[in-house]
Amino acid sequence: MSGFFQSSYQQARTAFLRAVQADSRVQWKKALLHPLHGAEAEPLALDAVWLGRMDARRLLVLQSATHGIEGFAGSAVQVAVLHQALTLPEDTALLLLHAMNPWGFSHRRRVDEAGIDLNRNFVDFSQPPENTGYKELADALIPAHWTLEALATADQRLADFREVYGEQIYEEAVSGGQYTHPRGLFYGGRAPGWSRLQLQHLAEELRLAERDAVAIIDVHTGLGEWSVGEIICDHPPRSIGVEWARAWYGDAVTEPFLGTSSSVPKWGLIDFFWHQLLPDRCSFVTLEYGTGSTEQLFNVLRADHWLATQAVGQVDAALKNRIQAELLEHFCPAATDWRQAVVQQGLLRVRQALEGLSKV
Ligand SMILES: [Zn+2]
């Protein structure tokens, strides 16, 4: 199972396309080419593949690498699904979206080439949300220097904020999304990013809005308990989207709006694109595999964002390597048990979604 994990975007894409090539159920595929190249000068693409009838009324969508570096896990699940050759129920198709953010996947960053967190990019940019907490903490989150002294001062400011406002408000300020600091954490952008535009094109070309029932599973890593695949559902409480998720996936479903999730409520989620496209006809879940604490998540991202804003050659090579290694280990742990758990739970959730769809 852990053998489905690859060590680069290029290898992951090759394994994915090879599995697609061998699958007779594939009816349509398209490589949406990114304008930039990858870390190994390879071409970058969002690969979209459709299995089953093109006019199916029901559809399961599997998304990977919405947060670039988290794509190792999502890609492994997609390739495992192809290898399992699961039977698609009647009138049900499967759409695989491999590498929503291929630049981030290849360059091993969570954000895209413009520093945008795709999962905060789905807002109405004529009225972007305001995150005053982030503004207050911006300099402490990404200090000018990455030294023990500078970090001690910055960390004290963060601790003071937590002390005054509490953990929930702190996490919302840091990770809820912000639209003012392009070099900062969880930055949603000033306009729709490349990946959002590709998703809009695909939805039109594949006439997704015309389907009767759609399940979407977006695979993420880095938040929550080690190797547990939490099913985070950001549909409004008691809506059909939540109802379907609970019926299909059971107690694993958590809801940020009810405070039952590792995730706090956030702005601009990719979920909202699907909710709007298919009101009352879709159930979108984030399959979020835990790796380490939220504090560790914030710290590896702070270091990564600090590194990304430094001029080439300005950073000590050992420090750079350590920051990049810690980032990768947080979002794609090397441990075999974690990787096996990712694939096993991914396959289970795909089977449950297909079975659930067949009953609506
Ligand atoms: Zn993520």
Side-chain angles (χ1 to χ4, degrees):
M1 285 287 179
S2 59
F4 289 114
F5 275 77
Q6 304 296 331
S7 50
S8 70
Y9 161 76
Q10 200 169 8
Q11 285 175 18
R13 185 177 186 219
T14 302
F16 175 75
L17 292 178
R18 199 172 288 152
V20 165
Q21 196 70 37
D23 201 311
S24 60
R25 298 167 304 166
V26 173
Q27 292 297 308
W28 174 94
K29 60 181 172 177
K30 191 169 194 174
L32 298 155
L33 288 176
H34 193 279
L36 301 175
H37 282 86
E40 299 169 297
E42 78 278 24
L44 298 173
L46 192 180
D47 290 293
V49 175
W50 189 283
L51 295 90
R53 287 177 52 165
M54 294 303 293
D55 63 351
R57 284 189 310 113
R58 295 183 285 251
L59 175 68
L60 168 61
V61 183
L62 270 184
Q63 296 181 168
S64 68
T66 293
H67 288 139
I69 192 170
E70 301 172 22
F72 292 100
S75 175
V77 170
Q78 287 178 337
V79 177
V81 166
L82 288 166
H83 276 265
Q84 291 266 312
L86 302 169
T87 307
L88 295 174
E90 204 189 337
D91 215 2
T92 306
L94 173 62
L95 172 62
L96 301 174
L97 300 177
H98 186 268
M100 295 300 302
N101 166 13
W103 185 93
F105 193 167
S106 177
H107 290 271
R108 298 187 176 181
R109 296 204 66 211
R110 194 171 164 283
V111 293
D112 75 1
E113 67 280 7
I116 294 173
D117 178 340
L118 175 60
N119 217 21
R120 302 292 183 279
N121 187 236
F122 289 80
V123 295
D124 172 0
F125 283 99
S126 67
Q127 298 168 305
E130 248 204 76
N131 184 341
T132 49
Y134 190 90
K135 277 185 198 164
E136 195 177 328
L137 297 175
D139 296 347
L141 287 167
I142 321 287
H145 305 285
W146 204 256
T147 59
L148 286 177
E149 203 181 5
L151 280 171
T153 310
D155 288 351
Q156 188 56 52
R157 273 183 59 202
L158 300 181
D160 292 346
F161 187 98
R162 282 162 94 161
E163 180 77 31
V164 173
Y165 296 103
E167 192 61 29
Q168 168 93 5
I169 287 176
Y170 170 70
E171 284 186 27
E172 286 183 20
V174 176
S175 69
Q178 53 88 11
Y179 299 83
T180 47
H181 295 70
R183 293 175 162 190
L185 305 177
F186 306 97
Y187 171 61
R190 293 212 169 112
W194 181 85
S195 303
R196 176 173 168 176
L197 297 175
Q198 306 315 304
L199 188 56
Q200 285 167 352
H201 291 319
L202 281 172
E204 278 169 37
E205 183 169 354
L206 294 167
R207 298 157 67 156
L208 299 183
E210 294 172 19
R211 313 289 161 171
D212 288 349
V214 178
I216 307 103
I217 300 177
D218 192 18
V219 178
H220 289 251
T221 62
L223 186 65
E225 204 180 314
W226 174 263
S227 82
V228 174
E230 185 181 331
I231 310 269
I232 306 175
C233 193
D234 279 279
H235 283 276
R238 292 177 294 282
S239 60
I240 284 177
V242 176
E243 202 180 292
W244 286 1
R246 290 212 173 277
W248 304 348
Y249 312 115
D251 289 342
V253 175
T254 62
E255 294 179 66
F257 287 119
L258 300 184
T260 57
S261 172
S262 303
S263 174
V264 293
K266 288 158 182 168
W267 283 304
L269 295 174
I270 200 167
D271 309 42
F272 306 148
F273 169 81
W274 293 95
H275 297 180
Q276 236 174 28
L277 187 75
L278 292 147
D280 295 332
R281 281 174 294 134
C282 78
S283 182
F284 183 107
V285 296
T286 301
L287 177 51
E288 176 78 64
Y289 293 101
T291 60
S293 67
T294 301
E295 185 155 10
Q296 181 178 298
L297 164 73
F298 288 172
N299 284 338
V300 294
L301 287 176
R302 289 169 69 198
D304 165 67
H305 280 256
W306 172 79
L307 187 62
T309 59
Q310 303 304 304
V312 179
Q314 291 290 304
V315 182
D316 172 66
L319 175 61
K320 182 179 168 190
N321 289 341
R322 181 165 63 81
I323 289 173
Q324 290 180 333
E326 285 176 359
L327 188 78
L328 182 63
E329 181 60 22
H330 183 86
F331 288 107
C332 182
T336 307
D337 70 320
W338 184 85
R339 294 184 173 195
Q340 280 174 345
V342 165
V343 175
Q344 276 164 356
Q345 290 173 62
L347 289 172
L348 169 68
R349 300 313 179 192
V350 165
R351 277 193 216 101
Q352 288 176 326
L354 288 173
E355 201 190 321
L357 276 172
S358 73
K359 289 177 185 160
V360 292

